[in-house]
Amino acid sequence: MSDKTENAPYHVAIIMDGNGRWAKQRGLPRVAGHRAGTDNLRRVLESCGELGIKMLTIYAFSTENWRRPEEEVKGLMGIFEDVIDRELPEFHEKGVRLRHIGRLDGLKPVFADKVRKAIELTKNNDKLILNIAFNYGGRAEIVEAVKTLIAKGVKADDITEEMISAHLYTADVPDPDLIIRTSGEMRVSNFLIWQGAYSEYYLAPVYWPDFDKEQMRLALEEYAKRHRRFGGL
Ligand code: IPE
Ligand code: IPE
Ligand code: MG
């Protein structure tokens, strides 16, 4: 029997939340939760192929996450850099195309460079498109788009929704069909606020390190039952 569900979403986005609480529950430091979360990402990526998901966007670090204690931010940056160093060859081999949404400036130049190289290396892959939202903020993204349009000399009356979409980090990425947030928290936390205007939302009742293939399957099952109306009937 195939694992693919009827009416599978093309683009799934995930707010990977709850690493800290997962660690706390076990008496571990928060950074151990982030490590467990990263290990889980590998498993979730494998399940995407089996479940028929072609595009996955993950929220890894927000523009607001810089407000966390320096030690945690450092730990997170270290983990992300490790992931690129360690996992990139396997991602590439498995046909994963990596993309980044967010700002690369503001990151350590060596790290930003690794991200650019990973994007370049995998640009022709098409098994799974993985958009990593890193140093990403939805409001900052819209502000940047508007600034670019003004700098191009576009007149106020000529601005359209399509133009704004075309100047976001996600310029050629279709809007997410389904946005999942783990950990039960009910907010968007500045994630894809423009692109998610008509996305279906799903809250998974587990912390991110525990979000497994079965949890993903439940989310897709729920999505398949939804009736998307986009304002129509
Ligand atoms: C999500 O887990 C990962 C990042 C934001 C980088 P959290 O670190 O937010 O974990 P909780 O929400 O505090 O449990
Ligand atoms: C959202 O989670 C950001 C990521 C998952 C990267 P947060 O944990 O930062 O969100 P808030 O602070 O609870 O809203
Ligand atoms: Mg959180």
PDB file of all heavy atoms in Angstrom, residues 14-18 21 30 58-62 64-65 68 80 133 136 181 183 185 187-191, ligand 2:
ATOM      1  N   ILE A  14       6.461  24.280   7.841  1.00  0.00           N
ATOM      2  CA  ILE A  14       6.410  23.872   9.253  1.00  0.00           C
ATOM      3  C   ILE A  14       7.092  24.884  10.168  1.00  0.00           C
ATOM      4  O   ILE A  14       8.239  25.288   9.928  1.00  0.00           O
ATOM      5  CB  ILE A  14       7.090  22.502   9.483  1.00  0.00           C
ATOM      6  CG1 ILE A  14       6.531  21.437   8.534  1.00  0.00           C
ATOM      7  CG2 ILE A  14       6.893  22.054  10.927  1.00  0.00           C
ATOM      8  CD1 ILE A  14       7.119  20.042   8.759  1.00  0.00           C
ATOM      9  N   ILE A  15       6.379  25.293  11.203  1.00  0.00           N
ATOM     10  CA  ILE A  15       6.981  26.077  12.284  1.00  0.00           C
ATOM     11  C   ILE A  15       7.460  25.042  13.305  1.00  0.00           C
ATOM     12  O   ILE A  15       6.659  24.448  14.028  1.00  0.00           O
ATOM     13  CB  ILE A  15       5.955  27.051  12.909  1.00  0.00           C
ATOM     14  CG1 ILE A  15       5.366  27.974  11.825  1.00  0.00           C
ATOM     15  CG2 ILE A  15       6.598  27.859  14.049  1.00  0.00           C
ATOM     16  CD1 ILE A  15       4.229  28.885  12.303  1.00  0.00           C
ATOM     17  N   MET A  16       8.766  24.800  13.280  1.00  0.00           N
ATOM     18  CA  MET A  16       9.332  23.716  14.099  1.00  0.00           C
ATOM     19  C   MET A  16       9.503  24.228  15.527  1.00  0.00           C
ATOM     20  O   MET A  16      10.561  24.720  15.899  1.00  0.00           O
ATOM     21  CB  MET A  16      10.700  23.303  13.535  1.00  0.00           C
ATOM     22  CG  MET A  16      10.700  23.013  12.037  1.00  0.00           C
ATOM     23  SD  MET A  16      12.301  22.403  11.461  1.00  0.00           S
ATOM     24  CE  MET A  16      13.346  23.838  11.637  1.00  0.00           C
ATOM     25  N   ASP A  17       8.467  24.109  16.324  1.00  0.00           N
ATOM     26  CA  ASP A  17       8.501  24.719  17.661  1.00  0.00           C
ATOM     27  C   ASP A  17       8.492  23.670  18.776  1.00  0.00           C
ATOM     28  O   ASP A  17       7.949  22.581  18.595  1.00  0.00           O
ATOM     29  CB  ASP A  17       7.289  25.654  17.801  1.00  0.00           C
ATOM     30  CG  ASP A  17       7.437  26.610  18.967  1.00  0.00           C
ATOM     31  OD1 ASP A  17       8.574  26.866  19.400  1.00  0.00           O
ATOM     32  OD2 ASP A  17       6.405  27.108  19.444  1.00  0.00           O
ATOM     33  N   GLY A  18       9.108  24.017  19.904  1.00  0.00           N
ATOM     34  CA  GLY A  18       9.025  23.167  21.097  1.00  0.00           C
ATOM     35  C   GLY A  18      10.311  22.440  21.454  1.00  0.00           C
ATOM     36  O   GLY A  18      10.307  21.611  22.366  1.00  0.00           O
ATOM     37  N   ARG A  21      11.209  23.115  25.193  1.00  0.00           N
ATOM     38  CA  ARG A  21      10.338  22.413  26.149  1.00  0.00           C
ATOM     39  C   ARG A  21      10.591  20.911  26.121  1.00  0.00           C
ATOM     40  O   ARG A  21      10.529  20.235  27.141  1.00  0.00           O
ATOM     41  CB  ARG A  21       8.863  22.728  25.840  1.00  0.00           C
ATOM     42  CG  ARG A  21       8.422  24.070  26.405  1.00  0.00           C
ATOM     43  CD  ARG A  21       7.134  24.551  25.784  1.00  0.00           C
ATOM     44  NE  ARG A  21       7.360  25.052  24.422  1.00  0.00           N
ATOM     45  CZ  ARG A  21       6.392  25.311  23.573  1.00  0.00           C
ATOM     46  NH1 ARG A  21       5.133  25.092  23.905  1.00  0.00           N
ATOM     47  NH2 ARG A  21       6.680  25.783  22.375  1.00  0.00           N
ATOM     48  N   ARG A  30      18.604  23.450  26.762  1.00  0.00           N
ATOM     49  CA  ARG A  30      17.798  23.763  25.576  1.00  0.00           C
ATOM     50  C   ARG A  30      18.500  23.361  24.287  1.00  0.00           C
ATOM     51  O   ARG A  30      17.869  22.897  23.339  1.00  0.00           O
ATOM     52  CB  ARG A  30      17.473  25.270  25.538  1.00  0.00           C
ATOM     53  CG  ARG A  30      16.495  25.715  26.601  1.00  0.00           C
ATOM     54  CD  ARG A  30      16.206  27.208  26.475  1.00  0.00           C
ATOM     55  NE  ARG A  30      15.689  27.545  25.157  1.00  0.00           N
ATOM     56  CZ  ARG A  30      14.397  27.501  24.836  1.00  0.00           C
ATOM     57  NH1 ARG A  30      13.500  27.155  25.719  1.00  0.00           N
ATOM     58  NH2 ARG A  30      14.015  27.818  23.616  1.00  0.00           N
ATOM     59  N   ILE A  58      10.756  25.159   6.049  1.00  0.00           N
ATOM     60  CA  ILE A  58      10.871  25.026   7.500  1.00  0.00           C
ATOM     61  C   ILE A  58      11.347  26.339   8.112  1.00  0.00           C
ATOM     62  O   ILE A  58      12.207  27.024   7.577  1.00  0.00           O
ATOM     63  CB  ILE A  58      11.849  23.894   7.878  1.00  0.00           C
ATOM     64  CG1 ILE A  58      13.168  24.051   7.129  1.00  0.00           C
ATOM     65  CG2 ILE A  58      11.231  22.529   7.611  1.00  0.00           C
ATOM     66  CD1 ILE A  58      14.269  23.197   7.678  1.00  0.00           C
ATOM     67  N   TYR A  59      10.726  26.661   9.244  1.00  0.00           N
ATOM     68  CA  TYR A  59      11.082  27.878   9.966  1.00  0.00           C
ATOM     69  C   TYR A  59      12.155  27.480  10.974  1.00  0.00           C
ATOM     70  O   TYR A  59      11.869  26.787  11.956  1.00  0.00           O
ATOM     71  CB  TYR A  59       9.834  28.398  10.673  1.00  0.00           C
ATOM     72  CG  TYR A  59       9.814  29.856  11.060  1.00  0.00           C
ATOM     73  CD1 TYR A  59      10.795  30.744  10.636  1.00  0.00           C
ATOM     74  CD2 TYR A  59       8.768  30.355  11.832  1.00  0.00           C
ATOM     75  CE1 TYR A  59      10.727  32.091  10.987  1.00  0.00           C
ATOM     76  CE2 TYR A  59       8.695  31.696  12.184  1.00  0.00           C
ATOM     77  CZ  TYR A  59       9.674  32.555  11.760  1.00  0.00           C
ATOM     78  OH  TYR A  59       9.604  33.884  12.107  1.00  0.00           O
ATOM     79  N   ALA A  60      13.381  27.886  10.712  1.00  0.00           N
ATOM     80  CA  ALA A  60      14.500  27.442  11.544  1.00  0.00           C
ATOM     81  C   ALA A  60      14.983  28.520  12.514  1.00  0.00           C
ATOM     82  O   ALA A  60      15.437  28.223  13.611  1.00  0.00           O
ATOM     83  CB  ALA A  60      15.655  26.986  10.664  1.00  0.00           C
ATOM     84  N   PHE A  61      14.899  29.785  12.080  1.00  0.00           N
ATOM     85  CA  PHE A  61      15.378  30.870  12.945  1.00  0.00           C
ATOM     86  C   PHE A  61      14.724  32.173  12.493  1.00  0.00           C
ATOM     87  O   PHE A  61      14.821  32.550  11.323  1.00  0.00           O
ATOM     88  CB  PHE A  61      16.905  30.977  12.843  1.00  0.00           C
ATOM     89  CG  PHE A  61      17.521  31.832  13.920  1.00  0.00           C
ATOM     90  CD1 PHE A  61      17.838  31.298  15.166  1.00  0.00           C
ATOM     91  CD2 PHE A  61      17.791  33.182  13.682  1.00  0.00           C
ATOM     92  CE1 PHE A  61      18.410  32.092  16.157  1.00  0.00           C
ATOM     93  CE2 PHE A  61      18.352  33.980  14.671  1.00  0.00           C
ATOM     94  CZ  PHE A  61      18.671  33.432  15.908  1.00  0.00           C
ATOM     95  N   SER A  62      14.049  32.837  13.419  1.00  0.00           N
ATOM     96  CA  SER A  62      13.330  34.055  13.043  1.00  0.00           C
ATOM     97  C   SER A  62      14.174  35.298  13.326  1.00  0.00           C
ATOM     98  O   SER A  62      15.148  35.233  14.103  1.00  0.00           O
ATOM     99  CB  SER A  62      12.012  34.147  13.825  1.00  0.00           C
ATOM    100  OG  SER A  62      12.261  34.506  15.173  1.00  0.00           O
ATOM    101  N   GLU A  64      13.342  37.506  15.129  1.00  0.00           N
ATOM    102  CA  GLU A  64      13.142  37.796  16.558  1.00  0.00           C
ATOM    103  C   GLU A  64      13.939  36.850  17.462  1.00  0.00           C
ATOM    104  O   GLU A  64      14.107  37.125  18.654  1.00  0.00           O
ATOM    105  CB  GLU A  64      11.651  37.706  16.914  1.00  0.00           C
ATOM    106  CG  GLU A  64      10.807  38.847  16.355  1.00  0.00           C
ATOM    107  CD  GLU A  64      10.604  38.765  14.855  1.00  0.00           C
ATOM    108  OE1 GLU A  64      10.467  37.640  14.329  1.00  0.00           O
ATOM    109  OE2 GLU A  64      10.619  39.815  14.186  1.00  0.00           O
ATOM    110  N   ASN A  65      14.407  35.733  16.903  1.00  0.00           N
ATOM    111  CA  ASN A  65      15.143  34.774  17.751  1.00  0.00           C
ATOM    112  C   ASN A  65      16.510  35.307  18.201  1.00  0.00           C
ATOM    113  O   ASN A  65      17.117  34.767  19.126  1.00  0.00           O
ATOM    114  CB  ASN A  65      15.306  33.420  17.048  1.00  0.00           C
ATOM    115  CG  ASN A  65      14.029  32.613  16.976  1.00  0.00           C
ATOM    116  OD1 ASN A  65      13.776  31.892  16.025  1.00  0.00           O
ATOM    117  ND2 ASN A  65      13.187  32.715  18.001  1.00  0.00           N
ATOM    118  N   ARG A  68      17.145  35.953  21.960  1.00  0.00           N
ATOM    119  CA  ARG A  68      17.432  34.899  22.947  1.00  0.00           C
ATOM    120  C   ARG A  68      18.830  35.094  23.545  1.00  0.00           C
ATOM    121  O   ARG A  68      19.655  35.789  22.964  1.00  0.00           O
ATOM    122  CB  ARG A  68      17.324  33.534  22.273  1.00  0.00           C
ATOM    123  CG  ARG A  68      15.893  33.280  21.836  1.00  0.00           C
ATOM    124  CD  ARG A  68      15.695  31.871  21.393  1.00  0.00           C
ATOM    125  NE  ARG A  68      14.302  31.685  21.013  1.00  0.00           N
ATOM    126  CZ  ARG A  68      13.727  30.519  20.822  1.00  0.00           C
ATOM    127  NH1 ARG A  68      14.435  29.418  20.958  1.00  0.00           N
ATOM    128  NH2 ARG A  68      12.455  30.434  20.485  1.00  0.00           N
ATOM    129  N   PHE A  80      23.449  24.707  13.033  1.00  0.00           N
ATOM    130  CA  PHE A  80      23.086  24.893  11.624  1.00  0.00           C
ATOM    131  C   PHE A  80      24.308  24.734  10.721  1.00  0.00           C
ATOM    132  O   PHE A  80      24.216  24.138   9.645  1.00  0.00           O
ATOM    133  CB  PHE A  80      22.428  26.257  11.405  1.00  0.00           C
ATOM    134  CG  PHE A  80      21.101  26.387  12.098  1.00  0.00           C
ATOM    135  CD1 PHE A  80      20.798  27.502  12.864  1.00  0.00           C
ATOM    136  CD2 PHE A  80      20.150  25.389  11.987  1.00  0.00           C
ATOM    137  CE1 PHE A  80      19.576  27.607  13.522  1.00  0.00           C
ATOM    138  CE2 PHE A  80      18.916  25.487  12.635  1.00  0.00           C
ATOM    139  CZ  PHE A  80      18.632  26.603  13.404  1.00  0.00           C
ATOM    140  N   ALA A 133      13.784  28.761   6.107  1.00  0.00           N
ATOM    141  CA  ALA A 133      13.547  30.126   6.572  1.00  0.00           C
ATOM    142  C   ALA A 133      14.485  30.367   7.747  1.00  0.00           C
ATOM    143  O   ALA A 133      14.309  29.818   8.834  1.00  0.00           O
ATOM    144  CB  ALA A 133      12.097  30.299   6.996  1.00  0.00           C
ATOM    145  N   TYR A 136      14.667  34.835   9.179  1.00  0.00           N
ATOM    146  CA  TYR A 136      13.486  35.191   8.409  1.00  0.00           C
ATOM    147  C   TYR A 136      12.454  35.896   9.289  1.00  0.00           C
ATOM    148  O   TYR A 136      12.196  35.479  10.426  1.00  0.00           O
ATOM    149  CB  TYR A 136      12.824  33.925   7.823  1.00  0.00           C
ATOM    150  CG  TYR A 136      11.489  34.240   7.181  1.00  0.00           C
ATOM    151  CD1 TYR A 136      11.431  34.676   5.865  1.00  0.00           C
ATOM    152  CD2 TYR A 136      10.304  34.180   7.917  1.00  0.00           C
ATOM    153  CE1 TYR A 136      10.211  35.028   5.285  1.00  0.00           C
ATOM    154  CE2 TYR A 136       9.087  34.528   7.353  1.00  0.00           C
ATOM    155  CZ  TYR A 136       9.049  34.944   6.043  1.00  0.00           C
ATOM    156  OH  TYR A 136       7.853  35.305   5.470  1.00  0.00           O
ATOM    157  N   ARG A 181       2.159  23.868  12.714  1.00  0.00           N
ATOM    158  CA  ARG A 181       2.983  24.330  13.841  1.00  0.00           C
ATOM    159  C   ARG A 181       2.986  23.222  14.894  1.00  0.00           C
ATOM    160  O   ARG A 181       1.927  22.744  15.294  1.00  0.00           O
ATOM    161  CB  ARG A 181       2.465  25.627  14.454  1.00  0.00           C
ATOM    162  CG  ARG A 181       3.393  26.099  15.596  1.00  0.00           C
ATOM    163  CD  ARG A 181       3.150  27.518  16.047  1.00  0.00           C
ATOM    164  NE  ARG A 181       4.183  27.926  17.000  1.00  0.00           N
ATOM    165  CZ  ARG A 181       4.636  29.160  17.141  1.00  0.00           C
ATOM    166  NH1 ARG A 181       4.153  30.131  16.398  1.00  0.00           N
ATOM    167  NH2 ARG A 181       5.579  29.444  18.022  1.00  0.00           N
ATOM    168  N   SER A 183       4.073  21.765  18.786  1.00  0.00           N
ATOM    169  CA  SER A 183       4.108  22.188  20.190  1.00  0.00           C
ATOM    170  C   SER A 183       2.779  22.746  20.699  1.00  0.00           C
ATOM    171  O   SER A 183       2.689  23.114  21.859  1.00  0.00           O
ATOM    172  CB  SER A 183       5.238  23.191  20.477  1.00  0.00           C
ATOM    173  OG  SER A 183       4.800  24.535  20.334  1.00  0.00           O
ATOM    174  N   GLU A 185       1.317  25.519  20.205  1.00  0.00           N
ATOM    175  CA  GLU A 185       1.226  26.979  20.297  1.00  0.00           C
ATOM    176  C   GLU A 185       0.381  27.511  19.132  1.00  0.00           C
ATOM    177  O   GLU A 185       0.566  27.092  18.002  1.00  0.00           O
ATOM    178  CB  GLU A 185       2.642  27.537  20.186  1.00  0.00           C
ATOM    179  CG  GLU A 185       2.938  28.699  21.065  1.00  0.00           C
ATOM    180  CD  GLU A 185       3.111  28.348  22.524  1.00  0.00           C
ATOM    181  OE1 GLU A 185       4.198  27.887  22.907  1.00  0.00           O
ATOM    182  OE2 GLU A 185       2.143  28.542  23.280  1.00  0.00           O
ATOM    183  N   ARG A 187      -0.003  30.471  17.243  1.00  0.00           N
ATOM    184  CA  ARG A 187       0.305  31.770  16.635  1.00  0.00           C
ATOM    185  C   ARG A 187       1.236  31.567  15.457  1.00  0.00           C
ATOM    186  O   ARG A 187       1.878  30.515  15.336  1.00  0.00           O
ATOM    187  CB  ARG A 187       0.900  32.741  17.653  1.00  0.00           C
ATOM    188  CG  ARG A 187       2.064  32.196  18.437  1.00  0.00           C
ATOM    189  CD  ARG A 187       2.644  33.250  19.395  1.00  0.00           C
ATOM    190  NE  ARG A 187       3.678  32.654  20.212  1.00  0.00           N
ATOM    191  CZ  ARG A 187       3.453  32.151  21.424  1.00  0.00           C
ATOM    192  NH1 ARG A 187       2.266  32.208  21.968  1.00  0.00           N
ATOM    193  NH2 ARG A 187       4.440  31.583  22.099  1.00  0.00           N
ATOM    194  N   VAL A 188       1.324  32.596  14.590  1.00  0.00           N
ATOM    195  CA  VAL A 188       2.146  32.462  13.380  1.00  0.00           C
ATOM    196  C   VAL A 188       3.575  32.948  13.595  1.00  0.00           C
ATOM    197  O   VAL A 188       4.451  32.619  12.807  1.00  0.00           O
ATOM    198  CB  VAL A 188       1.551  33.184  12.143  1.00  0.00           C
ATOM    199  CG1 VAL A 188       0.384  32.428  11.591  1.00  0.00           C
ATOM    200  CG2 VAL A 188       1.185  34.608  12.457  1.00  0.00           C
ATOM    201  N   SER A 189       3.806  33.740  14.647  1.00  0.00           N
ATOM    202  CA  SER A 189       5.161  34.200  14.966  1.00  0.00           C
ATOM    203  C   SER A 189       5.906  34.727  13.741  1.00  0.00           C
ATOM    204  O   SER A 189       7.066  34.375  13.515  1.00  0.00           O
ATOM    205  CB  SER A 189       5.964  33.083  15.663  1.00  0.00           C
ATOM    206  OG  SER A 189       5.307  32.651  16.828  1.00  0.00           O
ATOM    207  N   ASN A 190       5.196  35.539  12.945  1.00  0.00           N
ATOM    208  CA  ASN A 190       5.860  36.267  11.840  1.00  0.00           C
ATOM    209  C   ASN A 190       6.322  35.358  10.688  1.00  0.00           C
ATOM    210  O   ASN A 190       7.240  35.690   9.961  1.00  0.00           O
ATOM    211  CB  ASN A 190       7.052  37.063  12.414  1.00  0.00           C
ATOM    212  CG  ASN A 190       7.397  38.302  11.599  1.00  0.00           C
ATOM    213  OD1 ASN A 190       6.651  38.701  10.696  1.00  0.00           O
ATOM    214  ND2 ASN A 190       8.530  38.911  11.896  1.00  0.00           N
ATOM    215  N   PHE A 191       5.677  34.221  10.540  1.00  0.00           N
ATOM    216  CA  PHE A 191       6.071  33.256   9.501  1.00  0.00           C
ATOM    217  C   PHE A 191       5.139  33.358   8.297  1.00  0.00           C
ATOM    218  O   PHE A 191       3.922  33.193   8.430  1.00  0.00           O
ATOM    219  CB  PHE A 191       6.004  31.847  10.092  1.00  0.00           C
ATOM    220  CG  PHE A 191       6.503  30.751   9.173  1.00  0.00           C
ATOM    221  CD1 PHE A 191       7.728  30.842   8.540  1.00  0.00           C
ATOM    222  CD2 PHE A 191       5.743  29.602   8.973  1.00  0.00           C
ATOM    223  CE1 PHE A 191       8.193  29.810   7.723  1.00  0.00           C
ATOM    224  CE2 PHE A 191       6.204  28.562   8.162  1.00  0.00           C
ATOM    225  CZ  PHE A 191       7.425  28.667   7.533  1.00  0.00           C
TER     226      PHE A 191
HETATM  227  C1  IPE B   2       8.940  30.480  15.928  1.00  0.00           C
HETATM  228  O1  IPE B   2       9.059  29.943  17.189  1.00  0.00           O
HETATM  229  C2  IPE B   2      10.278  30.516  15.257  1.00  0.00           C
HETATM  230  C3  IPE B   2      10.830  29.213  14.860  1.00  0.00           C
HETATM  231  C4  IPE B   2      10.244  28.057  15.031  1.00  0.00           C
HETATM  232  C5  IPE B   2      12.105  29.279  14.228  1.00  0.00           C
HETATM  233  P1  IPE B   2       9.330  30.856  18.481  1.00  0.00           P
HETATM  234  O2  IPE B   2       9.468  29.915  19.611  1.00  0.00           O
HETATM  235  O3  IPE B   2      10.441  31.790  18.228  1.00  0.00           O
HETATM  236  O4  IPE B   2       7.992  31.690  18.581  1.00  0.00           O
HETATM  237  P2  IPE B   2       7.348  32.429  19.815  1.00  0.00           P
HETATM  238  O5  IPE B   2       8.409  33.303  20.413  1.00  0.00           O
HETATM  239  O6  IPE B   2       6.922  31.384  20.777  1.00  0.00           O
HETATM  240  O7  IPE B   2       6.198  33.193  19.250  1.00  0.00           O
END
